[in-house]
Amino acid sequence: MMQAPLDAALAYAKRGWFIFPIFETLGSSCACGNAKCEHPAKHPRTPNGCLNATANEVQVRKWWKHWPNASIGIATQPSGLVVLDVDPRHGGDESMHALAAECGELDTLVALSGGGGEHRYFRATIAIASRAEALGPRYPGIDVRAQGGYIIAPPSVHISGRSYQWEASSPEEPAALPAWLAASLQKPERGLIVAANDDALIAEGQRNDTLARVAGRFRRQGMTAQAIEDALLAMNARQCVPPLPKDEVGAIARSIARYPPEKNGAGGAIGKMEQPRRIVRLVPTSQIAPVETRYVVEPYVPRGEATWLEGLTKTGKTMVAIDLIARLTRGDVLPPTSARIERGRAVILTCEDSAERTIVPRLIAAEADLDRVTIIRVEEEGAERIPSFVYDGEAIERQLGASRADLLMVDGTFGVLGVEDGHSYTEAYQRMLPLVAMVRRLDIGAIIVRHIRKTEATALNRGIGSVGYASLARSTVSVAFDRDDETGARRLLAHAGSNVGATGPTLTFTVVGVAIEELTRAIGRVVWGDVVDVTADEAMREGRTLDDRSALDAACDLLHDVLADGPVRSLDVYAAADRVGIKRMTLRRAATKLLVERQRDGERGPWLMTLPESVPAQN
């Protein structure tokens, strides 16, 4: 018995695949308004097609409630998929036979299309542009659906009237995309990379430079360190005389992969990946289903949008975020507003606080259900790395979708986003927009913690960095000390503004120490107070913060961020401080406070700064 479209769509979303509805009518007219359209089954129902794809169960149910017979589109790149679309009408089946004879069978999950072709699914995180004739003219009839593309999945109905279905004899899960195939899909004009230049031997003395140049080409195309290493190892064994040691080849791959795909070590452009073909359409608004804004914490944290949580160091930003996460895991209310927080799950992404020493103790103190909170960790060859949207964005999105998270908390924002120039409006959009787009696709809330400048400005524009960062968030919440409190303990949470709903009232809170069984020392916890008649702009004025400590604390935070992954040139550390307005004298005081070590890299190398093994974490 064939599975119902809604059941299949929910099953795909549960796997972490990002789906969206496709126009289901097979008559003579379709969503594009063209009565002579020959492919009505391939028109998306959503306004932006696969860009609206999501793994969120609630949104999936809404779509198929409106369009119960809609076909199912799977957005390949956010789902971590690369799909070979084999069309026998153009010789695709013969090309697959030739490919198997030369390189071996591609044993993976296979779907049979209603048109007589097949779709071969592979797991991959590298950037590959969707294109026709993906392996060049030698292998016609094989297209690739990856970046910017999508595939129609079973049990959708083909324009012929026949249904898509899974091939019974194929594996149930997609196989990993072979490194040789990944490299070939990056350069279709060269044919198969594994078969190229087999007779071009690389002599001793040229091996490192040659492999480095090849690695640079692969990196420009967005290949990961592991994919580059796999391709270089194959090339090394086949062409280098004698072959280099494997660890040396791996070092070349990792060295090149340190840089973002669009830049080299000197900061200059080294080429851009071929962009997928863009299609501009007019979509009648009558075909766009309205969506009501929902909240994780009403009205402060909306779903499907980013929320800034801003304030100076030591004002309790992270404490507030932890308290909201704890209430989410319990299904609690937010006093004193009595706004109910529906029970859900949260994911924490941080490059500042230690999970063991700071995050988990605070969650326990806040009485969080720890089984409903996960922390994103990134490893490379057994070593822990700072999570980065530049390198790990797609993998982070897949993990969030699979975890069915309701809320994402991001701390150490600029480090996670890979920001180089915090004051650049253009870079603000380049770095921030992928995070915002991910949150919208997943339909989750996002609390993004950010420090503020000491200079006077409105609450919406106090955050460190370009105003471009503020403009991409739909809600901004400010945290400050209450200058009207003589004890200095009371703090304010003020809603600076929202683009998707009402502005919430300003709340007071204090941080108190509580005992937990696991530790001997007290752990801070938020205790909420009253609603007060104070605006966010008033809360963020000078005098409501501990200014005598703020500059030094901000410098300590920056040193934690910049030096967290190992030694960094002193000049680069000073440049990072200059970009956010931290004076060098203040930075040196912070370095002394944190016991930062300075040593020269070799006899004539640059001076390096390094954090000691044990450094007190900053709030």
Side-chain angles (χ1 to χ4, degrees), residues 332-345:
D332 206 343
V333 298
L334 176 62
T337 67
S338 298
R340 175 153 293 279
I341 303 173
E342 185 178 347
R343 193 180 188 199
R345 301 177 182 276

Side-chain angles (χ1 to χ4, degrees), residues 509-580:
F509 70 94
T510 57
V511 176
V512 300
V514 298
I516 64 175
E517 294 182 1
E518 292 81 356
L519 300 175
T520 57
R521 65 184 177 89
I523 301 299
R525 173 177 177 171
V526 167
V527 176
W528 294 100
D530 304 313
V531 174
V532 292
D533 186 18
V534 177
T535 67
D537 285 344
E538 292 170 342
M540 298 302 283
R541 285 177 185 167
E542 291 296 322
R544 290 189 180 271
T545 55
L546 300 183
D547 292 331
D548 56 333
R549 296 187 341 203
S550 61
L552 180 61
D553 289 337
C556 289
D557 287 342
L558 181 135
L559 288 173
H560 271 284
D561 291 347
V562 175
L563 303 179
D565 204 27
V568 177
R569 292 194 318 164
S570 297
L571 291 177
D572 293 336
V573 178
Y574 287 127
D578 291 340
R579 286 196 292 267
V580 295

Side-chain angles (χ1 to χ4, degrees), residues 357-530:
R357 294 184 177 88
T358 305
I359 299 296
V360 172
R362 289 179 179 178
L363 287 169
I364 294 173
E367 300 180 357
D369 182 346
L370 298 184
D371 289 332
R372 288 178 168 265
V373 185
T374 51
I375 293 178
I376 291 178
R377 279 181 164 164
V378 176
E379 292 184 0
E380 183 180 14
E381 296 186 343
E384 188 167 353
R385 301 292 187 228
I386 294 176
S388 167
F389 268 89
V390 175
Y391 300 107
D392 311 311
E394 295 177 18
I396 289 172
E397 183 166 353
R398 287 199 306 278
Q399 293 292 342
L400 287 171
S403 70
R404 304 178 69 182
D406 299 280
L407 178 66
L408 170 67
M409 169 189 159
V410 180
D411 203 356
T413 306
F414 282 7
V416 171
L417 294 179
V419 173
E420 297 177 4
D421 183 0
H423 296 291
S424 168
Y425 192 88
T426 301
E427 188 181 24
Y429 267 77
Q430 290 175 339
R431 298 303 190 193
M432 186 74 181
L433 193 57
L435 170 60
V436 173
M438 180 196 74
V439 169
R440 289 173 179 170
R441 286 192 295 267
L442 293 173
D443 192 33
I444 63 175
I447 294 176
I448 309 173
V449 180
R450 180 167 66 153
H451 300 298
I452 63 172
R453 300 187 297 266
K454 290 186 62 179
T455 55
E456 284 288 342
T458 63
L460 285 173
N461 295 311
R462 279 294 296 272
I464 286 177
S466 166
V467 295
Y469 292 103
S471 65
L472 285 170
R474 299 293 88 185
S475 179
T476 300
V477 180
S478 303
V479 179
F481 283 95
D482 187 352
R483 68 180 177 188
D484 296 330
D485 177 38
E486 295 181 356
T487 68
R490 191 168 66 184
R491 310 170 193 202
L492 301 174
L493 182 141
H495 202 184
S498 172
N499 294 77
V500 293
T503 301
T506 297
L507 312 178
T508 67
F509 70 94
T510 57
V511 176
V512 300
V514 298
I516 64 175
E517 294 182 1
E518 292 81 356
L519 300 175
T520 57
R521 65 184 177 89
I523 301 299
R525 173 177 177 171
V526 167
V527 176
W528 294 100
D530 304 313

Side-chain angles (χ1 to χ4, degrees), residues 57-397:
E57 178 181 337
V58 175
Q59 183 60 61
V60 170
R61 290 186 182 277
K62 284 185 178 180
W63 279 335
W64 267 268
K65 180 179 179 181
H66 280 281
W67 306 297
N69 297 317
S71 294
I72 303 170
I74 299 178
T76 43
Q77 184 187 27
S79 301
L81 296 172
V82 170
V83 179
L84 294 185
D85 185 353
V86 182
D87 187 353
R89 296 173 301 175
H90 298 94
D93 51 352
E94 296 178 0
S95 294
M96 285 302 299
H97 285 306
L99 202 61
E102 293 184 38
C103 305
E105 292 287 347
L106 291 171
D107 189 23
T108 189
L109 177 66
V110 177
L112 304 177
S113 74
E118 65 178 37
H119 299 154
R120 291 185 173 260
Y121 288 63
F122 295 92
R123 291 181 287 106
T125 59
I126 65 173
I128 294 176
S130 297
R131 61 163 69 87
E133 303 299 329
L135 294 173
R138 186 181 175 191
Y139 303 93
I142 300 179
D143 302 340
V144 64
R145 308 297 179 203
Q147 188 177 48
Y150 67 90
I151 207 76
I152 299 177
S156 304
V157 179
H158 189 264
I159 186 64
S160 65
R162 295 186 294 271
S163 297
Y164 292 74
Q165 57 184 306
W166 296 111
E167 187 180 65
S169 61
S170 72
E172 294 183 359
E173 295 292 335
L177 183 68
W180 64 265
L181 181 55
S184 301
L185 293 173
Q186 300 286 356
K187 287 286 184 179
E189 69 277 4
R190 289 186 55 192
L192 289 180
I193 297 293
V194 293
N197 295 328
D198 282 336
D199 57 345
L201 300 180
I202 305 171
E204 189 171 3
Q206 300 176 340
R207 298 169 298 175
N208 287 78
D209 289 344
T210 302
L211 292 182
R213 286 197 300 271
V214 172
R217 185 174 71 242
F218 289 159
R219 187 61 185 145
R220 286 195 293 270
Q221 299 298 321
M223 289 178 67
T224 63
Q226 187 59 59
I228 294 172
E229 183 173 349
D230 290 344
L232 292 188
L233 285 172
M235 184 177 178
N236 179 55
R238 188 177 66 248
Q239 296 174 241
C240 291
V241 182
L244 289 169
K246 289 185 177 180
D247 57 352
E248 192 169 340
V249 176
I252 294 173
R254 291 190 297 275
S255 176
I256 297 298
R258 286 184 303 134
Y259 304 110
E262 72 275 11
K263 292 185 177 181
N264 62 12
I270 61 173
K272 294 185 177 180
M273 181 179 58
E274 178 183 339
Q275 295 298 312
R277 185 170 61 93
R278 298 166 65 94
I279 299 175
V280 178
R281 296 184 294 112
L282 293 177
V283 179
T285 56
S286 60
Q287 295 184 10
I288 301 175
V291 177
E292 184 175 357
T293 299
R294 298 184 303 124
Y295 293 87
V296 178
V297 182
E298 189 173 2
Y300 304 97
V301 185
R303 282 184 176 270
E305 301 294 349
T307 298
W308 284 117
L309 182 61
E310 302 181 337
L312 285 174
T313 301
K314 305 298 184 182
T315 50
K317 303 182 296 297
T318 306
M319 290 283 195
V320 169
I322 292 293
D323 181 82
L324 296 180
I325 287 174
R327 294 177 186 279
L328 170 70
T329 65
R330 300 195 304 265
D332 206 343
V333 298
L334 176 62
T337 67
S338 298
R340 175 153 293 279
I341 303 173
E342 185 178 347
R343 193 180 188 199
R345 301 177 182 276
V347 174
I348 297 174
L349 197 164
T350 178
C351 67
E352 290 196 349
D353 290 321
S354 163
E356 295 83 0
R357 294 184 177 88
T358 305
I359 299 296
V360 172
R362 289 179 179 178
L363 287 169
I364 294 173
E367 300 180 357
D369 182 346
L370 298 184
D371 289 332
R372 288 178 168 265
V373 185
T374 51
I375 293 178
I376 291 178
R377 279 181 164 164
V378 176
E379 292 184 0
E380 183 180 14
E381 296 186 343
E384 188 167 353
R385 301 292 187 228
I386 294 176
S388 167
F389 268 89
V390 175
Y391 300 107
D392 311 311
E394 295 177 18
I396 289 172
E397 183 166 353

